[in-house]
Structure formats: structure tokens, C-alpha cells
Amino acid sequence: MKNCNQILAENKAWIEETFEKIDTKMQAVTLRSRDKIVDGVDENHRHIVARPTWWTAGFWGGLNYLLYEYTKNEEYLKTGREIERQMDEGLAQYEQLHHDVGFMWHILSGVAYRILGDKASRRRNLFCASVLFSRYVPDGGFIRAWNGGAPHDDWSIVDCLMNIPLLYWASRELGDDRFKQIAMAHADMALLDHLREDGSVIHIVEHDRESGEPRCFHGGQGYNAESSWSRGQAWALYGFALSYIHTGEERYLNAAKRVAHYFIANCCDDWLPRVDFRAPAEPVYYDSTAGACAACGLIEIAKAVGEHEGGMYMNAAVNILRAMDERFMDYDPDHDEMLTHGTVLYPVNGDPKKSGVHKSIIYGDYFYTEAILKLLGSEFNPW
Ligand code: GLY
């Protein structure tokens, strides 16, 4: 197995060309969608918007900040600033907020604070950290996911591993260890209750509120409760890697590796992740967003494990990104979308359209770009 540096050297030209194509395209799109809180695209390849409390609402502004951080192109900064301003309407709707405030503000206002030193952005992110903190169920030892009363109040979902970096950040920022303690309690719960022995993960765990013990499992956006929704695997893969980065605790790195091994084994036929790794082989439903997020986590694992072990993870990340580049990336500057073939959920009702199968979703563009920036050598961690 080649080591990371050899893999990066061999792929240098492709990495640089890919970023060039992303940057060229995004210079046009950022002007067209400056005032849109983007969610996806319509049939005319134009961005459509999300409400500012929808969980995807932070990605478009976050993507612009990420591009600004690397290129210093002011047009990206202007879009990021405008979207962050518009998102204040979401912050004002306290009852509508939920555990995804990390996805929504940590990569937006959290990044704005880190790259611009903006104190208002810092306050926004601290407010969100307090919201996430307040969702912790102390006896159960988990952060509750969505709103809506019973039984949702007793649900934890694997996606939340991507929200808790907000708590690690707040803990350092405020010098208050309690935020980190809650983040680690939730990550340890996910290790026990969401991660199966074989490295696959469960999307939704319903807990006994007093003991925290799992009462039952739900398939959520996957095929069923025993299956393995690929974006959930990706949230766990990158999420555990991020918990390792923020805490230095080896158990999180080992968890990320277990999920990574399972993920790689299940998509290395053609390196294009299906929506669920334990669903019927036909019809084929892809989820490119799972591949883009998993690639980010694989690159971080490769960096964490060192020279003689990292090659396998780096190789997998590059293979996934290259396969998706060939099959799914749209670089036409007249189209707003970039990564196609994302999927919202497995179409258990049999209607792919109702389940959002094979569409462009903004977090696909976000994670694909983040992964390419990592391959280019950017050390900036937006999470
Ligand atoms: N966090 C919701 C999803 O991955 O679709």
C-alpha cells in the first residue's frame, strides 16, 4: 500500500484541476445565489431556498466562507456575510431550533468568528452551543434529536455526532468543561448504542429516559431498523474522527476506523456509495453526499494514524472522490448545482421522487469541496 504522500503526489494534477473547476464554477454561482439560503436546485438548475431553521440552512454560507478562507476572494466573503445575516431570523425562532444548530451555525458563524474575529458571529455560535447543551437528557446520557413531543423526546440520532464539535468549541471558548463533558457523554453513548460490532451504525435509537438503555431502534432514513443508511455511516465516520480531533481520545479514532472499514468494504465495487449498504441490490440508488462526507472523515483518519497506516484511508477517499467526479460532478457554470445524485432517504414507499432520490443537495457540494481542500493541504477545520 502506498503512503499518503505518494497517493497525494500521484493525484496532484487531478486535485488541483478539480479545485480549479470548483472555484471557476462557484465564482459564477456565488453571485447568482448571494441572497439565497440554499437547499437544492429546481428543474432549471437554479438554487431553491430553505427556511432559516431547516437543518441544511448553514451549508451554503459555510461553503462560501470555506472558499473565502482558502482563496481570499471577497465575493465569497460577501455571500457568506449576507447568508449569516439572513440566518438571524432562524436564531430568533427559539422553539423551532433543534439539535442541528451545529450543522447550521458552527460551520457558518463559528467559521466567521475564527477567520474574521467577528464578535457577533461568536455570540451567535455561543447561543447555539447553549441551545444544544439544553437538549441533553442527563439521566439518559444523550442529546435529544428532533422536536415534536413523545416519542421523539427519547430519540438520539447518529447525525448528532456532527453537531457536537460546536460543544467542544464552546468549552474551549468559555473555559467551561461542561460543554465538553456533554459532547463526550453523547459520543460515548453513540459508541455503545449506535455503533454495531461490525462497524455499521443505527440511525435512530429510542432510549429509556431514566436509564438511557435502548428501548428500540428505527430505520429512519435508511431501508429498515437493521440496515445501514450510508449517510448515517458517513456522519459516524467523520463525526467520531472529529471527536478524536477535539479530545485526543483514542476510542473515538478507533470507532471512526471501524466505521471506515465497513464503509470502504461496502462501496469499493465502484466507489459510489448506495443509499443503504443493506438494502436490495436493485434498483440502484446512490447517495453522493454520503461519499463526500465519508471522504472528509477518511482523510482525517489518514492524517491521524500516521505514515504506515494512513494510505488505505487516503486511497479510499481519493477513489470515492474521483469516481464521483467522473459520474456525478456538474461543472457547468450556468447550473447552480455541483454534486448530483444525492439522496434524502431510502425510498421505502417505492416512490423515488417523494424520497428525494438522485438530486443535488447543498451539503453534497459542501463536503465535496471540503474534501478537495483537505487534499490540497488546507489545515483549516471548519468543524
Ligand atoms: N441530518 C439529516 C440527514 O442527513 O438527512
Side-chain angles (χ1 to χ4, degrees):
M1 178 57 72
K2 290 173 183 153
N3 69 30
C4 291
N5 287 337
Q6 289 165 324
I7 293 164
L8 290 173
E10 276 177 8
N11 288 280
K12 188 171 185 296
W14 172 78
I15 296 165
E16 287 172 358
E17 274 163 30
T18 302
F19 183 70
E20 190 64 40
K21 287 194 277 185
I22 291 173
D23 188 26
T24 303
K25 174 173 176 135
M26 292 306 295
Q27 285 178 34
V29 181
T30 197
L31 300 179
R32 273 203 300 275
S33 294
R34 174 145 299 160
D35 60 352
K36 289 183 180 171
I37 297 178
V38 171
D39 181 52
V41 287
D42 63 19
E43 58 284 355
N44 299 315
H45 304 280
R46 286 289 165 264
H47 274 150
I48 50 175
V49 298
R51 62 180 186 273
T53 51
W54 182 238
W55 81 275
T56 63
F59 285 104
W60 172 237
L63 174 56
N64 277 274
Y65 278 147
L66 206 54
L67 286 164
Y68 171 71
E69 197 282 329
Y70 191 77
T71 64
K72 300 293 177 281
N73 179 335
E74 298 273 332
E75 298 302 333
Y76 294 132
L77 178 63
K78 283 183 201 158
T79 304
R81 297 265 77 186
E82 172 58 21
I83 301 300
E84 193 183 350
R85 189 192 65 74
Q86 289 192 21
M87 288 284 288
D88 280 350
E89 199 191 317
L91 278 188
Q93 298 177 48
Y94 181 80
E95 292 87 349
Q96 301 299 316
L97 296 175
H98 39 77
H99 75 143
D100 282 332
V101 288
F103 274 120
M104 295 161 70
W105 275 278
H106 189 51
I107 56 166
L108 182 70
S109 301
V111 166
Y113 171 57
R114 276 175 279 154
I115 63 179
L116 305 169
D118 182 346
K119 292 278 168 43
S121 298
R122 178 179 182 269
R123 276 194 298 275
R124 290 180 180 109
N125 215 32
L126 287 174
F127 175 81
C128 290
S130 303
V131 169
L132 190 56
F133 186 98
S134 74
R135 300 185 72 85
Y136 186 64
V137 180
D139 290 341
F142 64 94
I143 294 172
R144 102 176 207 239
W146 300 308
N147 300 331
H152 298 121
D153 290 350
D154 302 334
W155 284 9
S156 64
I157 71 171
V158 75
D159 321 29
C160 195
L161 286 167
M162 294 297 294
N163 285 315
I164 59 177
L166 169 63
L167 298 177
Y168 295 126
W169 169 83
S171 196
R172 286 193 303 273
E173 198 61 29
L174 297 172
D176 185 340
D177 217 38
R178 293 172 307 147
F179 287 86
K180 182 178 172 190
Q181 285 166 15
I182 283 180
M184 288 178 73
H186 186 86
D188 289 333
M189 177 284 299
L191 264 175
L192 273 180
D193 297 343
H194 285 267
L195 179 57
R196 301 189 187 104
E197 278 186 31
D198 67 0
S200 69
V201 299
I202 297 161
H203 186 191
I204 301 173
V205 177
E206 187 172 322
H207 300 266
D208 178 276
R209 185 173 282 228
E210 271 77 49
S211 69
E213 286 299 309
R215 222 165 23 211
C216 61
F217 306 116
H218 300 276
Q221 284 159 266
Y223 180 63
N224 64 30
E226 285 80 44
S227 75
S228 144
W229 173 51
S230 62
R231 193 162 60 251
Q233 315 304 298
W235 295 145
L237 194 166
Y238 195 16
F240 278 127
L242 288 167
S243 271
Y244 170 71
I245 289 169
H246 284 287
T247 65
E249 293 290 336
E250 289 283 331
R251 64 183 181 280
Y252 301 138
L253 178 59
N254 286 329
K257 286 168 71 175
R258 259 166 75 193
V259 184
H261 302 158
Y262 176 84
F263 196 99
I264 293 168
N266 277 282
C267 74
C268 71
D269 242 12
D270 56 9
W271 297 103
L272 298 172
R274 274 52 173 176
V275 179
D276 195 306
F277 292 137
R278 251 177 235 163
E282 301 284 339
V284 175
Y285 298 126
Y286 297 107
D287 183 13
S288 59
T289 69
C293 175
C296 289
L298 289 165
I299 296 166
E300 290 304 332
I301 297 173
K303 289 198 278 192
V305 294
E307 189 188 345
H308 302 301
E309 200 186 344
M312 180 184 75
Y313 304 98
M314 188 61 83
N315 186 51
V318 170
N319 281 335
I320 291 169
L321 294 166
R322 288 196 77 140
M324 299 207 303
D325 179 37
E326 270 174 35
R327 292 281 302 277
F328 298 155
M329 285 292 273
D330 180 342
Y331 296 109
D332 183 343
D334 290 332
H335 294 173
D336 289 351
E337 73 271 42
M338 201 151 55
L339 184 61
T340 67
H341 288 76
T343 291
V344 177
L345 69 156
Y346 191 91
V348 276
N349 64 13
D351 184 347
K353 227 179 156 97
K354 275 195 190 140
S355 301
V357 171
H358 293 175
K359 58 183 240 173
S360 178
I361 327 173
I362 190 62
Y363 46 89
D365 293 2
Y366 182 90
F367 285 108
Y368 196 94
T369 304
E370 186 187 331
I372 295 297
L373 289 172
K374 287 184 196 298
L375 294 181
L376 276 173
S378 169
E379 290 293 331
F380 181 72
N381 173 15
W383 299 93

